[in-house]
Amino acid sequence: MSEERFGEFVLVRRHGDGHVAELVLDRPKAMNAVSSEMARSIGAACTALGEDRDVRVVVLTSTHERAFCVGADLKERNSFSDAELVRQRPVARGAYTGVLELPVPTVAAVHGFALGGGFELALACDVIVADRTAVVGLPEVSVGVIPGGGGTQLLPRRVGAGRAAELIFSARRVEAAEARELGLVDVLVDEGRDREEALALGERIGANSPVGLRAAKRALRLGQGLDLRAGLEVEDAAWRAVAFSGDRAEGVAAFNEKRKPQWPGE
């Protein structure tokens, strides 16, 4: 396993052959509250991971024992003038869009508090694995703002408009069992096993074709919100991008020869 640090608060670990990258939120003294510095580091790490053709899946984790991420650093925000807040906005957005726009599958490993921007980082991932200590929610209206890291758009895509409205307008926190029932998280595991299970899922994902994974994610993301006919055109374009790839040829050959594929990644 290799490690690379992005600033003081973000760590990237590459596991095994490097196909599974772990993006670690590492600001434990502030329960991973996202400061401007941390936001820049998340964005920079995502840029590097997105450009690394060896990476097939990214798993987002936390070093804090009782929190995934408690959202924006409100102590820092309280010190901002209006002009400073305006200047900071693109920096904050860069963290959330960085995760959202990763071209490979992403898995969030959530335990403890994942609130506000913390939950939005998880929502930006394709799959959310949570343990039974998880508490999630978008409480922004309770402090006079709105979810600004993608929450108003990502949550209704997960749970529907009515459920998202109830959760955002009430600002309520949702514990793990109900979160799984409502679809706020995808996989519920025993306490303390979120990272382990998310990395195991990452390994299963990372064993598959890198060309196929990127194309499948592109089709899933671009097709959201389209009518069926338009969505099928998106899917067809993604299929055409992989149908004549080296990965497709290798995958079919390996299947017929009853062996593990050696993906060329092109």
Side-chain angles (χ1 to χ4, degrees):
M1 181 174 66
S2 65
E3 294 188 352
E4 180 181 4
R5 186 163 286 280
F6 289 80
E8 185 179 355
F9 304 128
V10 175
L11 179 68
V12 170
R13 298 187 181 116
R14 288 174 171 80
H15 293 265
D17 51 15
H19 298 325
V20 178
E22 183 181 1
L23 178 57
V24 187
L25 306 178
D26 187 28
R27 195 188 179 200
K29 291 182 179 179
M31 299 180 81
N32 288 330
V34 181
S35 64
S36 298
E37 180 184 348
M38 187 173 179
R40 287 190 190 93
S41 297
I42 293 171
C46 288
T47 297
L49 290 170
E51 293 172 351
D52 188 339
R53 299 298 296 188
D54 287 333
V55 173
R56 299 180 189 173
V57 58
V58 174
V59 180
L60 183 60
T61 69
S62 160
T63 58
H64 196 282
E65 293 181 355
R66 294 186 295 108
F68 173 72
C69 173
V70 295
D73 186 338
L74 295 184
K75 290 183 179 179
E76 179 190 64
R77 293 280 179 91
N78 191 50
S79 70
F80 285 166
S81 67
D82 289 351
E84 288 170 332
L85 185 60
V86 169
R87 287 195 295 270
Q88 196 263 354
R89 175 62 175 162
V91 175
R93 286 194 71 186
Y96 302 107
T97 57
V99 176
L100 185 64
E101 294 177 358
L102 280 166
V104 297
T106 49
V107 182
V110 174
H111 60 267
F113 297 111
L115 301 172
F119 188 39
E120 287 173 306
L121 286 172
L123 289 172
C125 294
D126 299 303
V127 181
I128 302 175
V129 176
D131 83 356
R132 295 187 182 278
T133 69
V135 179
V136 304
L138 296 175
E140 283 89 344
V141 297
S142 69
V143 293
V145 291
I146 69 165
T152 66
Q153 305 305 304
L154 294 170
L155 189 58
R157 283 167 167 77
R158 265 189 167 269
V159 301
R163 180 68 70 191
E166 181 264 319
L167 291 166
I168 290 171
F169 295 159
S170 69
R172 73 183 179 95
R173 301 179 178 189
V174 182
E175 295 187 358
E178 184 185 4
R180 175 64 187 89
E181 181 182 339
L182 296 179
L184 299 174
V185 305
D186 302 301
V187 181
L188 187 59
V189 300
D190 290 337
E191 180 176 346
R193 290 185 57 84
D194 54 295
R195 177 177 178 269
E196 180 181 350
E197 295 290 345
L199 286 170
L201 176 57
E203 291 288 348
R204 293 195 295 275
I205 292 171
N208 295 313
S209 158
V211 171
L213 289 171
R214 286 174 179 249
K217 175 158 182 173
R218 191 163 61 249
L220 282 164
R221 285 289 175 90
L222 291 178
Q224 285 183 0
L226 299 180
D227 64 50
L228 179 58
R229 186 182 297 274
L232 290 173
E233 291 303 316
V234 168
E235 180 182 81
D236 187 64
W239 179 86
R240 290 174 186 277
V242 302
F244 308 104
S245 68
D247 273 16
R248 196 277 308 173
E250 168 62 11
V252 172
F255 177 83
N256 286 301
E257 295 166 15
K258 296 181 173 57
R259 60 174 174 81
K260 183 179 178 181
Q262 301 297 314
W263 305 114
E266 57 186 20

